[in-house]
Amino acid sequence: MKKSIYFFSILTIMLVTFSSCKKEDPVNATKINKVSQFVYDGMSLFYFWSNEMIDKKPTLDDNDPKIYFSSLLNSLDKKEGWSFITDNVEELLADFSGEPKDFGFSVGFIPVNSAQTEFVAFVQYVYPNTPAANAGIERLDFIGRINDKPITENNYMDLYSSTSKKFTLF
């Protein structure tokens, strides 16, 4: 499944880079967020649940591509966290080329409050000879804080970063 996510992501990057504009309603074509439109185009072609994209084209109100992307996800995908959106092309391409610029682990998330606004990350796998492995992080470790702050939807991507961070393990 991870390979299909990577394939979708690289294909998405390629489509954004090399695609041309489609002819649409000239009045609304310039007002619809182009990234949201791109997200829709990619997901309606390549997403595992592409059949669910019918009648979910972006509207004039879909100005935030991350929120729009999240609204398109199948409920199982939301629960398991298979699909994601990123604006860090260099890091994504490095990961696809076998030279990831992250800490070197794969994580999943578990909500820790009823509002599901704070999470604990659990380590699914640690890649050998990576910063995570060198720091002693192991499979099934739990990460509860990033830089002494709870993990939220606003900072969870820091777990995929290449810059120095402080993780609190449980």
Side-chain angles (χ1 to χ4, degrees), residues 52-90:
E52 296 177 10
M53 297 301 112
I54 297 171
D55 298 327
K56 291 188 175 181
K57 285 187 175 187
T59 66
L60 295 174
D61 295 328
D62 294 314
N63 293 322
D64 186 331
K66 289 182 180 182
I67 293 172
Y68 175 67
F69 171 80
S70 181
S71 75
L72 296 177
L73 294 179
N74 174 278
S75 60
L76 182 60
D77 193 358
K78 282 183 183 179
K79 178 182 175 190
E80 298 296 330
W82 290 315
S83 300
F84 64 93
I85 187 170
T86 182
D87 57 2
N88 190 335
V89 175
E90 291 86 19

Short mmCIF file of all heavy atoms in Angstrom, two decimals, residues 52-90:
data_model
loop_
_atom_site.label_atom_id
_atom_site.label_comp_id
_atom_site.label_asym_id
_atom_site.label_seq_id
_atom_site.Cartn_x
_atom_site.Cartn_y
_atom_site.Cartn_z
N GLU A 52 -15.63 7.30 -5.67
CA GLU A 52 -16.30 8.17 -4.71
C GLU A 52 -16.09 9.67 -5.02
O GLU A 52 -16.61 10.52 -4.31
CB GLU A 52 -15.81 7.88 -3.29
CG GLU A 52 -16.15 6.49 -2.82
CD GLU A 52 -15.60 6.18 -1.44
OE1 GLU A 52 -15.10 7.10 -0.75
OE2 GLU A 52 -15.66 5.00 -1.05
N MET A 53 -15.34 9.98 -6.06
CA MET A 53 -15.05 11.37 -6.38
C MET A 53 -16.14 12.04 -7.21
O MET A 53 -16.13 13.25 -7.40
CB MET A 53 -13.73 11.49 -7.15
CG MET A 53 -12.50 11.03 -6.38
SD MET A 53 -12.26 11.94 -4.86
CE MET A 53 -12.57 10.66 -3.67
N ILE A 54 -17.12 11.24 -7.66
CA ILE A 54 -18.21 11.80 -8.47
C ILE A 54 -18.93 12.89 -7.66
O ILE A 54 -19.24 12.71 -6.49
CB ILE A 54 -19.19 10.68 -8.88
CG1 ILE A 54 -18.46 9.67 -9.77
CG2 ILE A 54 -20.41 11.25 -9.60
CD1 ILE A 54 -19.27 8.42 -10.06
N ASP A 55 -19.16 13.99 -8.29
CA ASP A 55 -19.86 15.13 -7.67
C ASP A 55 -19.10 15.75 -6.50
O ASP A 55 -19.71 16.34 -5.61
CB ASP A 55 -21.28 14.74 -7.22
CG ASP A 55 -22.15 14.30 -8.38
OD1 ASP A 55 -21.97 14.85 -9.48
OD2 ASP A 55 -23.00 13.41 -8.18
N LYS A 56 -17.78 15.60 -6.46
CA LYS A 56 -16.99 16.22 -5.40
C LYS A 56 -15.98 17.22 -5.96
O LYS A 56 -14.96 17.49 -5.34
CB LYS A 56 -16.27 15.15 -4.58
CG LYS A 56 -17.21 14.30 -3.74
CD LYS A 56 -16.44 13.40 -2.81
CE LYS A 56 -17.35 12.64 -1.89
NZ LYS A 56 -16.61 11.79 -0.98
N LYS A 57 -16.26 17.75 -7.15
CA LYS A 57 -15.36 18.74 -7.74
C LYS A 57 -15.24 19.93 -6.80
O LYS A 57 -16.19 20.26 -6.09
CB LYS A 57 -15.89 19.20 -9.09
CG LYS A 57 -15.72 18.19 -10.19
CD LYS A 57 -16.10 18.78 -11.53
CE LYS A 57 -15.80 17.79 -12.63
NZ LYS A 57 -16.01 18.38 -13.95
N PRO A 58 -14.09 20.59 -6.81
CA PRO A 58 -13.93 21.75 -5.93
C PRO A 58 -14.87 22.88 -6.34
O PRO A 58 -15.19 23.05 -7.51
CB PRO A 58 -12.47 22.14 -6.11
CG PRO A 58 -12.06 21.57 -7.41
CD PRO A 58 -12.90 20.34 -7.62
N THR A 59 -15.29 23.60 -5.34
CA THR A 59 -16.16 24.76 -5.56
C THR A 59 -15.37 26.03 -5.26
O THR A 59 -14.20 25.96 -4.85
CB THR A 59 -17.39 24.70 -4.64
OG1 THR A 59 -16.95 24.84 -3.29
CG2 THR A 59 -18.15 23.39 -4.82
N LEU A 60 -16.00 27.14 -5.40
CA LEU A 60 -15.35 28.42 -5.09
C LEU A 60 -14.98 28.51 -3.62
O LEU A 60 -14.09 29.26 -3.24
CB LEU A 60 -16.27 29.58 -5.47
CG LEU A 60 -16.57 29.72 -6.97
CD1 LEU A 60 -17.60 30.82 -7.19
CD2 LEU A 60 -15.31 29.99 -7.75
N ASP A 61 -15.65 27.72 -2.76
CA ASP A 61 -15.37 27.75 -1.32
C ASP A 61 -14.17 26.88 -0.93
O ASP A 61 -13.71 26.96 0.22
CB ASP A 61 -16.60 27.28 -0.53
CG ASP A 61 -17.77 28.23 -0.71
OD1 ASP A 61 -17.53 29.44 -0.86
OD2 ASP A 61 -18.92 27.76 -0.68
N ASP A 62 -13.69 26.05 -1.82
CA ASP A 62 -12.59 25.13 -1.51
C ASP A 62 -11.24 25.80 -1.75
O ASP A 62 -10.48 25.44 -2.65
CB ASP A 62 -12.71 23.84 -2.34
CG ASP A 62 -13.94 23.05 -1.98
OD1 ASP A 62 -14.18 22.87 -0.77
OD2 ASP A 62 -14.65 22.60 -2.90
N ASN A 63 -10.93 26.78 -0.90
CA ASN A 63 -9.71 27.57 -1.06
C ASN A 63 -8.50 26.95 -0.39
O ASN A 63 -7.37 27.29 -0.72
CB ASN A 63 -9.92 28.99 -0.51
CG ASN A 63 -10.92 29.75 -1.35
OD1 ASN A 63 -10.95 29.62 -2.56
ND2 ASN A 63 -11.77 30.52 -0.70
N ASP A 64 -8.70 26.07 0.58
CA ASP A 64 -7.59 25.43 1.29
C ASP A 64 -7.45 24.01 0.78
O ASP A 64 -8.27 23.14 1.11
CB ASP A 64 -7.84 25.44 2.79
CG ASP A 64 -6.66 24.91 3.58
OD1 ASP A 64 -5.90 24.06 3.06
OD2 ASP A 64 -6.49 25.35 4.73
N PRO A 65 -6.43 23.72 -0.04
CA PRO A 65 -6.28 22.38 -0.63
C PRO A 65 -6.16 21.26 0.41
O PRO A 65 -6.64 20.15 0.17
CB PRO A 65 -4.99 22.50 -1.45
CG PRO A 65 -4.85 23.94 -1.73
CD PRO A 65 -5.43 24.65 -0.54
N LYS A 66 -5.55 21.53 1.57
CA LYS A 66 -5.42 20.48 2.58
C LYS A 66 -6.78 20.10 3.15
O LYS A 66 -7.08 18.92 3.35
CB LYS A 66 -4.47 20.92 3.69
CG LYS A 66 -3.03 20.97 3.25
CD LYS A 66 -2.10 21.36 4.37
CE LYS A 66 -0.66 21.39 3.88
NZ LYS A 66 0.28 21.73 4.94
N ILE A 67 -7.61 21.09 3.41
CA ILE A 67 -8.96 20.81 3.93
C ILE A 67 -9.78 20.11 2.85
O ILE A 67 -10.49 19.14 3.12
CB ILE A 67 -9.64 22.11 4.40
CG1 ILE A 67 -8.91 22.65 5.64
CG2 ILE A 67 -11.12 21.88 4.69
CD1 ILE A 67 -9.37 24.03 6.07
N TYR A 68 -9.67 20.57 1.61
CA TYR A 68 -10.40 19.95 0.51
C TYR A 68 -9.95 18.50 0.33
O TYR A 68 -10.78 17.60 0.21
CB TYR A 68 -10.21 20.75 -0.78
CG TYR A 68 -10.85 20.10 -1.98
CD1 TYR A 68 -12.24 20.00 -2.07
CD2 TYR A 68 -10.08 19.57 -3.00
CE1 TYR A 68 -12.84 19.39 -3.15
CE2 TYR A 68 -10.67 18.96 -4.08
CZ TYR A 68 -12.04 18.87 -4.16
OH TYR A 68 -12.63 18.24 -5.24
N PHE A 69 -8.65 18.26 0.34
CA PHE A 69 -8.11 16.90 0.22
C PHE A 69 -8.68 16.00 1.31
O PHE A 69 -9.15 14.90 1.04
CB PHE A 69 -6.58 16.95 0.31
CG PHE A 69 -5.93 15.61 0.40
CD1 PHE A 69 -5.74 14.83 -0.73
CD2 PHE A 69 -5.49 15.13 1.62
CE1 PHE A 69 -5.13 13.59 -0.64
CE2 PHE A 69 -4.89 13.89 1.72
CZ PHE A 69 -4.71 13.11 0.59
N SER A 70 -8.68 16.49 2.53
CA SER A 70 -9.20 15.71 3.66
C SER A 70 -10.68 15.39 3.46
O SER A 70 -11.13 14.29 3.82
CB SER A 70 -8.98 16.48 4.96
OG SER A 70 -9.46 15.75 6.04
N SER A 71 -11.43 16.31 2.88
CA SER A 71 -12.87 16.08 2.67
C SER A 71 -13.12 15.01 1.63
O SER A 71 -14.20 14.41 1.60
CB SER A 71 -13.56 17.38 2.26
OG SER A 71 -13.28 17.71 0.90
N LEU A 72 -12.15 14.73 0.78
CA LEU A 72 -12.31 13.72 -0.27
C LEU A 72 -11.98 12.30 0.20
O LEU A 72 -12.40 11.33 -0.42
CB LEU A 72 -11.42 14.05 -1.47
CG LEU A 72 -11.72 15.33 -2.22
CD1 LEU A 72 -10.69 15.53 -3.34
CD2 LEU A 72 -13.12 15.35 -2.78
N LEU A 73 -11.23 12.18 1.29
CA LEU A 73 -10.73 10.88 1.71
C LEU A 73 -11.85 9.92 2.13
O LEU A 73 -12.80 10.32 2.80
CB LEU A 73 -9.74 11.03 2.86
CG LEU A 73 -8.44 11.75 2.54
CD1 LEU A 73 -7.58 11.84 3.80
CD2 LEU A 73 -7.67 11.05 1.43
N ASN A 74 -11.70 8.68 1.73
CA ASN A 74 -12.59 7.62 2.17
C ASN A 74 -12.42 7.45 3.68
O ASN A 74 -11.32 7.65 4.21
CB ASN A 74 -12.21 6.33 1.42
CG ASN A 74 -12.97 5.13 1.91
OD1 ASN A 74 -12.60 4.52 2.92
ND2 ASN A 74 -14.01 4.77 1.20
N SER A 75 -13.46 7.05 4.40
CA SER A 75 -13.40 6.96 5.86
C SER A 75 -12.33 5.97 6.32
O SER A 75 -11.65 6.21 7.33
CB SER A 75 -14.76 6.59 6.44
OG SER A 75 -15.19 5.34 5.93
N LEU A 76 -12.13 4.86 5.61
CA LEU A 76 -11.09 3.91 5.98
C LEU A 76 -9.71 4.53 5.79
O LEU A 76 -8.81 4.34 6.61
CB LEU A 76 -11.22 2.62 5.17
CG LEU A 76 -10.21 1.53 5.48
CD1 LEU A 76 -10.32 1.09 6.94
CD2 LEU A 76 -10.41 0.34 4.56
N ASP A 77 -9.55 5.29 4.73
CA ASP A 77 -8.28 5.96 4.48
C ASP A 77 -8.01 6.99 5.57
O ASP A 77 -6.89 7.12 6.05
CB ASP A 77 -8.31 6.64 3.11
CG ASP A 77 -6.95 7.10 2.63
OD1 ASP A 77 -5.96 6.95 3.37
OD2 ASP A 77 -6.87 7.62 1.50
N LYS A 78 -9.04 7.73 6.00
CA LYS A 78 -8.87 8.71 7.08
C LYS A 78 -8.43 8.00 8.36
O LYS A 78 -7.54 8.46 9.07
CB LYS A 78 -10.17 9.45 7.35
CG LYS A 78 -10.49 10.53 6.37
CD LYS A 78 -11.76 11.26 6.75
CE LYS A 78 -12.12 12.30 5.72
NZ LYS A 78 -13.35 13.00 6.04
N LYS A 79 -9.05 6.86 8.64
CA LYS A 79 -8.75 6.12 9.86
C LYS A 79 -7.32 5.57 9.83
O LYS A 79 -6.59 5.67 10.81
CB LYS A 79 -9.75 4.98 10.03
CG LYS A 79 -9.50 4.11 11.23
CD LYS A 79 -10.50 2.98 11.30
CE LYS A 79 -10.15 2.07 12.45
NZ LYS A 79 -10.94 0.85 12.43
N GLU A 80 -6.91 4.99 8.71
CA GLU A 80 -5.61 4.35 8.61
C GLU A 80 -4.48 5.31 8.23
O GLU A 80 -3.32 5.02 8.44
CB GLU A 80 -5.66 3.18 7.61
CG GLU A 80 -6.61 2.08 8.01
CD GLU A 80 -6.20 1.38 9.30
OE1 GLU A 80 -5.00 1.31 9.59
OE2 GLU A 80 -7.10 0.91 10.01
N GLY A 81 -4.82 6.45 7.65
CA GLY A 81 -3.82 7.45 7.30
C GLY A 81 -2.92 7.06 6.14
O GLY A 81 -1.74 7.39 6.13
N TRP A 82 -3.47 6.37 5.14
CA TRP A 82 -2.65 5.94 4.01
C TRP A 82 -2.29 7.10 3.09
O TRP A 82 -1.19 7.16 2.56
CB TRP A 82 -3.37 4.87 3.20
CG TRP A 82 -3.48 3.55 3.91
CD1 TRP A 82 -2.50 2.90 4.60
CD2 TRP A 82 -4.63 2.72 4.00
NE1 TRP A 82 -2.97 1.73 5.11
CE2 TRP A 82 -4.29 1.59 4.76
CE3 TRP A 82 -5.93 2.83 3.52
CZ2 TRP A 82 -5.18 0.57 5.03
CZ3 TRP A 82 -6.81 1.82 3.79
CH2 TRP A 82 -6.43 0.70 4.54
N SER A 83 -3.21 8.00 2.84
CA SER A 83 -2.98 9.08 1.89
C SER A 83 -2.64 10.37 2.61
O SER A 83 -3.09 10.60 3.72
CB SER A 83 -4.23 9.29 1.03
OG SER A 83 -4.54 8.13 0.31
N PHE A 84 -1.84 11.18 1.97
CA PHE A 84 -1.45 12.44 2.57
C PHE A 84 -1.19 13.45 1.47
O PHE A 84 -1.04 13.10 0.30
CB PHE A 84 -0.19 12.27 3.44
CG PHE A 84 1.03 11.86 2.68
CD1 PHE A 84 1.92 12.79 2.18
CD2 PHE A 84 1.29 10.51 2.45
CE1 PHE A 84 3.04 12.41 1.46
CE2 PHE A 84 2.42 10.12 1.74
CZ PHE A 84 3.29 11.06 1.24
N ILE A 85 -1.12 14.70 1.85
CA ILE A 85 -0.81 15.79 0.93
C ILE A 85 0.38 16.54 1.52
O ILE A 85 0.49 16.70 2.73
CB ILE A 85 -2.03 16.71 0.71
CG1 ILE A 85 -1.76 17.74 -0.39
CG2 ILE A 85 -2.47 17.35 2.00
CD1 ILE A 85 -3.01 18.51 -0.81
N THR A 86 1.28 16.97 0.66
CA THR A 86 2.46 17.69 1.13
C THR A 86 2.80 18.80 0.14
O THR A 86 2.46 18.70 -1.04
CB THR A 86 3.67 16.75 1.30
OG1 THR A 86 4.78 17.51 1.80
CG2 THR A 86 4.07 16.08 0.01
N ASP A 87 3.47 19.81 0.63
CA ASP A 87 3.95 20.87 -0.26
C ASP A 87 5.47 20.88 -0.31
O ASP A 87 6.08 21.78 -0.87
CB ASP A 87 3.39 22.23 0.15
CG ASP A 87 3.73 22.60 1.59
OD1 ASP A 87 4.42 21.82 2.26
OD2 ASP A 87 3.29 23.68 2.02
N ASN A 88 6.11 19.86 0.26
CA ASN A 88 7.56 19.78 0.27
C ASN A 88 8.02 18.81 -0.82
O ASN A 88 8.26 17.64 -0.58
CB ASN A 88 8.07 19.32 1.64
CG ASN A 88 9.57 19.46 1.76
OD1 ASN A 88 10.29 19.45 0.77
ND2 ASN A 88 10.04 19.60 2.99
N VAL A 89 8.13 19.32 -2.04
CA VAL A 89 8.44 18.50 -3.20
C VAL A 89 9.84 17.89 -3.09
O VAL A 89 10.03 16.71 -3.40
CB VAL A 89 8.32 19.34 -4.50
CG1 VAL A 89 8.75 18.54 -5.71
CG2 VAL A 89 6.90 19.83 -4.66
N GLU A 90 10.83 18.65 -2.64
CA GLU A 90 12.19 18.13 -2.57
C GLU A 90 12.28 16.92 -1.65
O GLU A 90 12.91 15.90 -1.98
CB GLU A 90 13.18 19.22 -2.08
CG GLU A 90 13.40 20.35 -3.06
CD GLU A 90 12.35 21.45 -2.92
OE1 GLU A 90 11.68 21.53 -1.87
OE2 GLU A 90 12.19 22.21 -3.88
#
